[in-house]
Amino acid sequence: MAVLSFRSVLWSCLGVSFLELAHAHLEARGIVTSPETFAATSFDFVVVGGGTAGLTVAARLAEEEGWTVGVIEAGQYRPNDALIDVPSGSDLKNFGAAVGNANYDWLYTTVPQTNLNGKAVRHPRGKVLGGSSAINFEIFNRPAKGELSGWSALNLGLGSWSWSGLLPYYKKSETYKPPRPEDVFPLASTTRRRAFQRRQNTTDVADAFYTAAESALGPTSLNVDDLLAAADDGSDTASKRDDPYHGFSGPVHASHNEWYSDLAHPYILSMNSLGIATNFNPDSGDNVGIYNCPAAVDREAGVRSYAARAYYAPNAAKTNFLVLTGAQATKINWKSTDVNGLAVAESVSFVVDGASYTAQASKEIILSGGVFNTPQLLELSGVGNPSIINPLGITTKINLPGVGENLQDHAYISLGFTIKPGYHTWDELRNNATFAAQAAAQYAATKDGILASNVGVLSFFPLQTFLSASKIRSIVKTLVSDLVSSTSSMSLLHIAQSVLQLAWLSNQSIPQVEIVMVPGFNPTGTVTAPSAGTNYLVLTAALQHSFSRGTVHITSNDALVKPAIDPKYLSNAFDKTVLLEAVKYIRNTLATSAPLSNFIDTFNDPPASSTTDADYESYMKVALESLKHPVGTAALAPKELGGVVSPQLLVYGSKNVRVVDASVFPQHISAHAQSTTYAIGEKAADIIKSLW
């Protein structure tokens, strides 16, 4: 069945009237269509970026009736839009929906990657009110408790950036709907505790680097012992998934699938048989295992729950909360320097249809443009490394070399398999016109079924799950040698992070790899389109804690020129080796383990002829993509380490510029970034309220 005919069937079955009824409350009452009106408004706070965190902090600040909050958003407000609202997993998205569509997506790509034979990797980012929460795959999970202990340790315990400090904000942001009894996990093993065999600790192998790190960090307030203690923090105790971990009255709806493919059951059983136990409590800070992942979906309405629907729409009638869409911020304007030598911002310049305007903020300017736009705007405004911005004709206002550094991402490799005939996957929407029409009619009538499903079966695990102790020891030995030899060229922040990450390799409560099970076609390395009448399974291995670090920097003083994004994928041998071993594990162990193996027809990509490490390494250079979780380019960390914002999220050297988005992640986490970004927005709002 042709793609266009499927989409036309879907739209005709849904109908414009259905969408209007489903989203009647999503009115554009607070949207300002006149940039002149917006510029003439006296704001207390101007938020740059109406995305996941930006709308969160803006809506919470607008709860204070005496404050006026303005949001500048480059994209448009798109309520009643099925390309955003229908939570149809990868299937509809692959049929030319929001990702890769300039009406929704910034269409970022990296610079050519040296270790990928010059490949430029796509980085979709939401250019729409709601940001990337409007176009992502809706995954709504949380990291390991010990990872947030690392955040806290990097910040010397200041600001409560630990698990206990963020948990209230995870809960505040969500309305959690537990799975129905029949959907706890489809016929999954009832094993509730992971049963990984403890293997030899690798700490002694890492001693050489720890010694070098101790010396390098000597002039700072950090020490290796504190970082190692934080890395070892995290309990193996599983708690019941109940009120202590979930919110039930927050703006974002988090729920579970009510439709599963025929592949879910055999896949879960095969994972269980390999020692990856079912985790019924992944939101508790213990996220190791295979689990039924919540998604940002409102099951009652059958639609995506994203920042515009969750935080903007319910507050659109407020007269103190204004949003200007179609406007791109170009520069922060500075008023003066206060008696403490801090730069004071007074306004933000922005452009609409080529014309320039300025929005005044009497209290604060809050940057929520995201991991790429936030460092870009800081550098355009004179905040950054003088050696980068001065040659572009930009005068340094705040010398802050950490801006645009510390880019981290979840790189992944997907493997494709064809499935024997007769099993239900998302491919039926493409292969069977009658089924597609029935699915669309069901969704229009009851807002459920296959079109309301998404990627829900995730697994996270440490290296010990799939590698022998001797192999891990070999990998760590090489890693330590690389780190010791490069310590002099690493930032202090990278050194401190590496202390944590090395220790995490021995801590089996900190996952190092994620596998995502996609029950249908998704593009892989060399197969970019499905074959007619064929069903697929795609298994994706994603590295959680890369030792590579990248950058985002401007190359022009023109704000409309995109910054140069360089993740430096696989620049550390550890990253390449672990991804290679994960690919081999999927191909040679997981895919050949019953009962999953009984459903697989062929090894599709890479083909069955690929069997050697050299074959897989060649494939990886073609297949590597981003899981679309870039973080860290305005890091929450001490300035002396290369941090950009304080524990209160203030830009160092400024009195009133704050960053509230995923760029403040000091270190990556073993989770998709969405729920943590919402939590940061919620926490930031409380920080700001407490200071004013």
Side-chain angles (χ1 to χ4, degrees):
M1 180 180 183
V3 167
L4 289 178
S5 61
F6 167 68
R7 291 181 68 183
S8 64
V9 168
L10 175 62
W11 303 158
S12 65
C13 288
L14 296 181
V16 174
S17 60
F18 165 75
L19 289 173
E20 290 175 345
L21 288 172
H23 306 286
H25 67 289
L26 288 180
E27 300 176 10
R29 291 169 294 186
I31 298 294
V32 179
T33 57
S34 165
E36 293 84 3
T37 299
F38 191 87
T41 303
S42 297
F43 293 108
D44 293 284
F45 301 90
V46 171
V47 179
V48 179
T52 308
L55 286 181
T56 301
V57 68
R60 292 303 189 187
L61 293 178
E63 293 174 342
E64 303 294 326
E65 295 182 359
W67 291 347
T68 302
V69 181
V71 177
I72 299 172
E73 168 55 40
Q76 298 296 329
Y77 183 35
R78 298 186 182 279
N80 313 329
D81 190 326
L83 297 188
I84 293 174
D85 293 335
V86 179
S88 52
S90 74
D91 191 88
L92 183 61
K93 293 178 175 69
N94 281 341
F95 290 158
V99 171
N101 184 327
N103 291 322
Y104 305 81
D105 184 356
W106 281 94
L107 302 177
Y108 285 117
T109 58
T110 70
V111 301
Q113 293 297 287
T114 301
N115 299 300
L116 303 179
N117 291 339
K119 176 181 178 178
V121 178
R122 294 184 312 141
H123 266 269
R125 297 282 90 194
K127 190 177 183 181
V128 61
L129 191 64
S132 294
S133 71
I135 69 169
N136 65 18
F137 283 73
E138 299 139 350
I139 301 300
F140 207 75
N141 61 349
R142 299 177 186 171
K145 185 184 299 183
E147 291 165 336
L148 297 184
S149 294
W151 285 24
S152 180
L154 289 171
N155 286 279
L156 305 173
L158 301 175
S160 297
W161 290 98
S162 61
W163 172 262
S164 61
L166 276 172
L167 180 59
Y169 298 106
Y170 283 117
K171 294 171 66 176
K172 186 176 183 179
S173 68
E174 74 175 1
T175 290
Y176 176 68
K177 180 181 179 182
R180 301 177 305 182
E182 63 269 31
D183 293 327
V184 169
F185 222 20
L187 301 177
S189 165
T190 56
T191 303
R192 290 176 177 261
R193 298 294 301 138
R194 63 183 183 273
F196 299 114
Q197 181 180 359
R198 297 290 178 176
R199 305 198 177 177
Q200 184 173 356
N201 192 291
T202 60
T203 303
D204 59 317
V205 181
D207 281 344
F209 174 69
Y210 294 151
T211 299
E214 188 72 66
S215 176
L217 294 171
T220 75
S221 301
L222 282 177
N223 66 75
V224 170
D225 287 340
D226 288 344
L227 292 169
L228 290 176
D232 196 45
D233 183 30
S235 171
D236 283 340
T237 303
S239 302
K240 185 180 178 182
R241 195 179 215 191
D242 56 11
D243 292 13
Y245 303 116
H246 291 97
F248 296 91
S249 59
V252 182
H253 288 263
S255 61
H256 296 267
N257 271 344
E258 296 177 354
W259 181 94
Y260 296 89
S261 79
D262 288 342
L263 303 179
H265 176 213
Y267 175 73
I268 294 164
L269 293 181
S270 287
M271 293 289 266
N272 290 162
S273 73
L274 295 171
I276 301 174
T278 301
N279 184 344
F280 290 89
N281 314 285
D283 293 338
S284 67
D286 173 7
N287 67 338
V288 172
I290 184 169
Y291 61 83
N292 189 357
C293 186
V297 174
D298 181 346
R299 296 292 167 189
E300 299 301 319
V303 296
R304 174 194 296 269
S305 184
Y306 70 112
R309 166 180 285 276
Y311 284 94
Y312 169 69
N315 299 292
K318 291 184 175 180
T319 58
N320 68 332
F321 184 20
L322 300 180
V323 175
L324 177 66
T325 56
Q328 184 165 345
T330 58
K331 186 181 179 181
I332 300 167
N333 302 304
W334 305 97
K335 178 170 59 176
S336 61
T337 300
D338 72 1
V339 295
N340 297 314
L342 298 176
V344 181
E346 63 177 352
S347 63
V348 177
S349 295
F350 62 92
V351 295
V352 177
D353 296 330
S356 297
Y357 305 87
T358 301
Q360 303 288 328
S362 62
K363 287 185 169 63
E364 292 188 10
I365 292 168
I366 299 169
L367 304 186
S368 298
V371 176
F372 303 147
N373 292 30
T374 285
Q376 177 190 27
L377 187 60
L378 284 170
E379 290 183 335
L380 290 167
S381 306
V383 182
N385 189 332
S387 68
I388 293 173
I389 63 177
N390 292 168
L392 299 175
I394 299 171
T395 301
T396 301
K397 183 67 176 179
I398 302 174
N399 185 340
L400 200 55
V403 172
E405 300 291 311
N406 191 49
L407 175 62
Q408 300 165 62
D409 191 22
H410 288 156
Y412 77 82
I413 308 292
S414 287
L415 288 79
F417 306 87
T418 62
I419 300 302
K420 295 174 182 177
Y423 298 111
H424 293 288
T425 69
W426 284 337
D427 298 295
E428 282 187 277
L429 295 170
R430 171 177 48 84
N431 294 331
N432 186 329
T434 300
F435 177 84
Q438 292 171 343
Q442 177 183 355
Y443 180 76
T446 60
K447 310 177 188 65
D448 58 9
I450 190 172
L451 285 176
S453 69
N454 43 34
V455 175
V457 183
L458 303 185
S459 55
F460 292 82
F461 44 85
L463 299 184
Q464 288 79 359
T465 298
F466 67 104
L467 296 176
S468 68
S470 60
K471 182 64 176 179
I472 294 172
R473 190 175 182 84
S474 174
I475 291 172
V476 172
K477 185 176 181 179
T478 300
L479 171 62
V480 170
S481 177
D482 290 345
L483 291 173
V484 170
S485 65
S486 59
T487 300
S488 61
S489 62
M490 295 165 65
S491 71
L492 293 178
L493 179 57
H494 193 185
I495 290 172
Q497 293 166 339
S498 297
V499 171
L500 289 168
Q501 287 181 218
L502 260 179
W504 286 346
L505 296 179
S506 300
N507 183 344
Q508 295 184 53
S509 67
I510 306 293
Q512 299 297 330
V513 172
E514 173 189 10
I515 294 183
V516 182
M517 191 273 277
V518 181
F521 181 81
N522 208 45
T524 49
T526 62
V527 179
T528 58
S531 297
T534 304
N535 286 354
Y536 294 86
L537 167 69
V538 173
L539 298 177
T540 292
L543 182 66
Q544 298 302 286
H545 299 113
S546 168
F547 278 86
S548 303
R549 293 292 182 273
T551 60
V552 176
H553 290 301
I554 60 173
T555 60
S556 168
N557 60 15
D558 183 347
L560 302 185
V561 175
K562 292 177 180 178
I565 301 165
D566 186 5
K568 297 182 171 63
Y569 289 121
L570 307 186
S571 59
N572 187 291
F574 171 89
D575 300 352
K576 176 182 176 181
T577 300
V578 171
L579 272 176
L580 172 62
E581 294 299 328
V583 166
K584 290 160 61 178
Y585 176 73
I586 290 174
R587 180 64 172 273
N588 302 328
T589 303
L590 177 56
T592 61
S593 296
L596 179 63
S597 59
N598 298 329
F599 290 71
I600 292 175
D601 190 16
T602 64
F603 291 175
N604 192 53
D605 199 26
S609 59
S610 296
T611 58
T612 68
D613 282 8
D615 291 336
Y616 294 134
E617 288 178 12
S618 296
Y619 177 74
M620 286 168 56
K621 292 179 180 180
V622 176
L624 187 143
E625 297 287 348
S626 168
L627 204 53
K628 306 167 187 65
H629 304 153
V631 301
T633 52
L636 165 64
K639 182 181 178 182
E640 62 184 345
L641 297 184
V644 174
V645 299
S646 73
Q648 290 73 43
L649 303 180
L650 272 174
V651 173
Y652 289 117
S654 81
K655 184 176 182 179
N656 62 338
V657 176
R658 217 173 291 266
V659 177
V660 182
D661 59 31
S663 66
V664 305
F665 281 40
Q667 192 153 12
H668 223 324
I669 56 176
S670 58
H672 297 226
Q674 179 171 222
S675 69
T676 301
T677 304
Y678 277 122
I680 288 171
E682 291 280 9
K683 183 177 175 70
D686 276 2
I687 290 172
I688 295 167
K689 288 179 179 181
S690 72
L691 296 172
W692 290 96

